[in-house]
Amino acid sequence: MATYTRLPVAFARGEGVWLWDTEGRRYLDALSGIAVCGLGHAHPAIREAICEQAGLLVHTSNLYRITEQERLGAMLTQMSGMDRVFFANSGAEANEAAIKLARLHAHQRGVDNPAILVTENSFHGRTLATLSATGNRKVQAGFEPLVQGFVRVPYDDVAAIETAAANRPNIVAILVEPIQGEGGIRIPSPDYGRRLRELCDRQGWLLICDEIQTGMGRTGRLFAHQHGESAPDVMTLAKGLANGVPIGACLARGAAAEVLGPGSHGSTFGGNPLACRAARAVLESIAAGELVANAAEQGAYLLAGFREALGDVAGVVEIRGRGLMLGIEVDRPCADLVGQALEAGLLISVTAERVIRLLPPLILTRQEADHLLQGLTALITRYLDHD
C-alpha cells in the first residue's frame, strides 16, 4: 500500500555510521533509521547476538517462560530503576500498554471515566489510541471517530495543566515526551519535568514518559528524564532498544507496576527470544563503553558548531538539541533539503515542516561529526540563499 513517499535510493549494506546504496555510493547516516540504530549499522555485538540466537531459538510464545526475556527484563529494570516491564513489538504498542495501564489503574481506584493529559505537537504512535493521544491534527485526519479520554494542553506549560486539573476531576495521568521529537526537537524548560513530577505526586496521577525517541542514550543520558528530577511511574521504550530488531517496552514502578496481571494484556510476538537477545546486546554494549558519554560530547560539539556556522544566517530561526538529538529550525518549509542532502551523501529528515532533524548514531566520531557539520552547513546556507 502506498503509505510512504520513498526517496529514490535503496541501501545494500552498512557499517558504523555509513550506508552504501545498491550502486556503491556511500552516505553518512545522520538519522539512524529514525533514532533506531544507535550503535550504527552491522555492529559486531548485535550481529553476533542475532546470529547466535537465531541458531538456537527464535519464538515459543508467552505461554512459556522465556529465558532471554527474563534476562533482558532484569537488566533493563536494574538500569532504569523501574520494577517491572511488559515487552511489545513497537513504540506504539508500548504506549498502548501504558494507556491501558493508566486506565486500569484508574478503574481499580474507582474512577469510571478516566482521562489522560497529553500535549500539543506530541507524537505517540499510529494505532487508534496513540493516534488520538498524538497532538498532530494532520496525522489524525480521516481516522475519526478518535478514541476518547485524552485532554490536550500546550507543551511545557504547567499552568495549563493546573487549570485542566481544576476543571477535570477525572484526570489520572500525564503522557509526555521529555523532548518532543516529531514535534520539532522541542526542549522544555529545565524545571518542566520536576514540576510535572511534583504535580503528579500532589494529584495522585501517574507520570508516563514516552522515551521511545529520546531513550537509550540518545540525549546524553540513558533516559532523557534523567536530565531533571522527573522519575516517571511508567516509561515506554522502543526504537534504539534493539538497534533495528523490532521491540517495545512498557516499564513501571511502584503501584503502577502491579496493575497489569494475567489476562489484562498480552502479545504473541512481544519479548520473543530473538528480539530480547538483540536488546540485551545493546544494553551490554552501552554498559560496557562510553556510548552515552560520547553522545553527550559529540552532540554538544555539533550544537556549538551549527550555532557558530549558522547562527547569523538569515532564515535560521533556532538551533537546539540535547545529545545527538538536534533540530535546526528555519523560517520556511524545507522538505526539499532531504533530497538535496541525499544527493550530497547525507541522510537527514525534516519534521514539523521547518525543522531539520538530526539523530546520528551514538558511535559518531569527531571526524564524522565534522563531515556532517561542514556538509549540512553548506546545504542549509545555499538553500536559504536561493529559496
Side-chain angles (χ1 to χ4, degrees), residues 205-280:
W205 300 344
L206 297 179
L207 177 58
I208 306 171
C209 280
D210 178 342
E211 293 254 16
I212 290 161
Q213 191 164 148
T214 58
M216 306 312 300
R218 170 121 326 258
T219 68
R221 299 292 298 272
L222 186 56
F223 308 111
H225 72 264
Q226 294 173 333
H227 289 285
E229 302 168 23
S230 56
D233 301 292
V234 181
M235 176 174 67
T236 54
L237 299 172
K239 288 193 180 289
L241 182 54
N243 212 62
V245 177
I247 190 170
C250 176
L251 297 98
R253 66 182 178 94
E258 309 302 324
V259 172
L260 296 178
S264 62
H265 199 41
S267 170
T268 297
F269 293 106
N272 76 26
L274 185 68
C276 287
R277 182 64 189 93
R280 186 159 66 88

Side-chain angles (χ1 to χ4, degrees), residues 31-198:
L31 192 57
S32 303
I34 316 179
V36 169
C37 298
L39 274 64
H41 301 284
H43 190 283
I46 309 303
R47 181 180 64 241
E48 291 168 12
I50 292 172
C51 290
E52 179 184 6
Q53 189 61 46
L56 295 172
L57 192 65
V58 172
H59 179 79
T60 59
S61 93
N62 284 294
L63 293 175
Y64 315 103
R65 287 181 56 191
I66 301 174
T67 303
E68 278 301 328
Q69 186 182 117
E70 294 171 1
R71 289 173 176 165
L72 174 61
M75 193 170 188
L76 194 53
T77 51
Q78 189 275 325
M79 292 175 74
S80 66
M82 307 299 271
D83 296 330
R84 294 184 183 273
V85 56
F86 171 82
F87 289 111
N89 309 288
S90 67
E93 286 185 39
N95 280 337
E96 284 275 348
I99 290 166
K100 287 182 68 175
L101 187 156
R103 287 188 171 191
L104 185 57
H105 181 250
H107 284 295
Q108 290 172 351
R109 297 166 64 210
V111 181
D112 293 330
N113 188 28
I116 299 173
L117 274 169
V118 292
T119 67
E120 296 173 0
N121 300 312
S122 62
F123 186 88
H124 299 293
R126 291 185 181 270
T127 62
L128 270 177
T130 57
L131 187 72
S132 301
T134 290
N136 183 334
R137 182 60 195 149
K138 183 178 179 181
V139 301
Q140 294 173 337
F143 297 107
E144 298 83 359
L146 299 177
V147 176
Q148 301 300 302
F150 297 102
V151 176
R152 201 168 311 284
V153 295
Y155 188 65
D156 195 19
D157 189 339
V158 177
I161 298 175
E162 291 173 337
T163 298
N167 298 324
R168 300 263 194 161
N170 61 330
I171 292 172
V172 298
I174 298 174
L175 171 60
V176 66
E177 298 162 278
I179 296 172
Q180 288 191 334
E182 302 297 320
I185 315 297
R186 302 290 175 183
I187 302 173
S189 306
D191 64 345
Y192 184 55
R194 175 184 59 78
R195 293 180 67 190
L196 290 183
R197 179 70 269 171
E198 292 172 351

Side-chain angles (χ1 to χ4, degrees), residues 310-319 328-332 380 384:
L310 295 170
D312 295 327
V313 172
V316 174
V317 176
E318 187 179 17
I319 301 164
I328 302 169
E329 183 176 354
V330 297
D331 64 357
R332 67 204 72 173
I380 293 171
L384 294 175

